Amino acid sequence: MSAVILLFIRLAMALALYGFLAWAIWTLWRDIKRQDELLAARRIPVLKLTKQAESGEVSYEFSTPDVLVGRDQTCDLVLDEKTVSAEHARLSYHHGNWWVEDLQSRNGTLLNLELVVTPVVVVSGDEIQLGQVIIRVDVGDGEDHTPVSDSNG
């Protein structure tokens, strides 16, 4: 009789162990899924920069966390204008906002006609002036946009 009771105790312990392992794996899977959803919600919103040109407006869209603007060909947004420095300004996404900072340019960077001395948050509708070039900023929702740049003439 005691052998049968011992067998049932062993089976109960084995079932409890497998139940615990199944619960632990299910909990880990659920946490990984939740983290994936949180990371998906943190996607960088698309930054659309529109400048006036002789032929009309030209728009560029960016979804990278840093956008370098200047006259140099290595910049993300190249502005072929003598009043724009080689590396004039940087737009960067952090802390849930897009920020603009002047990179010690010769002619300065203005945000809505105010000189940018330290990094400043930019929002849709803001105008950034780099030398003689004025760029309108639009912050998108990050869905169905091209990742680097798209020129619309």
Side-chain angles (χ1 to χ4, degrees):
M1 182 79 161
S2 65
V4 173
I5 294 174
L6 190 57
L7 178 64
F8 281 119
I9 291 174
R10 286 181 180 172
L11 287 174
M13 292 293 285
L15 285 174
L17 178 61
Y18 284 118
F20 173 76
L21 289 174
W23 173 80
I25 291 170
W26 179 75
T27 302
L28 287 172
W29 176 78
R30 190 181 63 192
D31 286 345
I32 289 170
K33 188 175 176 182
R34 193 175 304 147
Q35 286 293 327
D36 184 45
E37 291 170 358
L38 286 173
L39 288 174
R42 289 186 186 173
R43 289 201 177 106
I44 298 171
V46 171
L47 178 68
K48 182 179 178 184
L49 302 175
T50 305
K51 73 171 188 163
Q52 288 290 338
E54 289 117 21
S55 60
E57 290 185 341
V58 181
S59 295
Y60 304 90
E61 292 183 357
F62 301 93
S63 62
T64 56
D66 287 310
V67 178
L68 188 60
V69 182
R71 201 175 63 240
D72 191 40
Q73 294 299 315
T74 60
C75 292
D76 299 306
L77 176 56
V78 178
L79 300 174
D80 190 22
E81 168 67 40
K82 292 179 183 177
T83 59
V84 175
S85 298
E87 291 183 351
H88 197 104
R90 175 181 296 119
L91 289 135
S92 55
Y93 184 79
H94 54 87
H95 297 86
N97 291 302
W98 278 101
W99 298 70
V100 64
E101 69 176 303
D102 183 66
L103 299 177
Q104 299 176 351
S105 62
R106 179 171 293 204
N107 292 317
T109 301
L110 301 175
L111 176 64
N112 299 324
L113 302 177
E114 292 188 29
L115 186 64
V116 174
V117 180
T118 60
V120 181
V121 173
V122 293
V123 295
S124 290
D126 281 349
E127 288 188 347
I128 301 172
Q129 183 172 345
L130 305 111
Q132 296 297 320
V133 179
I134 296 175
I135 297 173
R136 188 180 67 243
V137 176
D138 290 303
V139 178
D141 57 4
E143 295 178 10
D144 296 332
H145 294 285
T146 53
V148 180
S149 67
D150 178 32
S151 298
N152 300 322

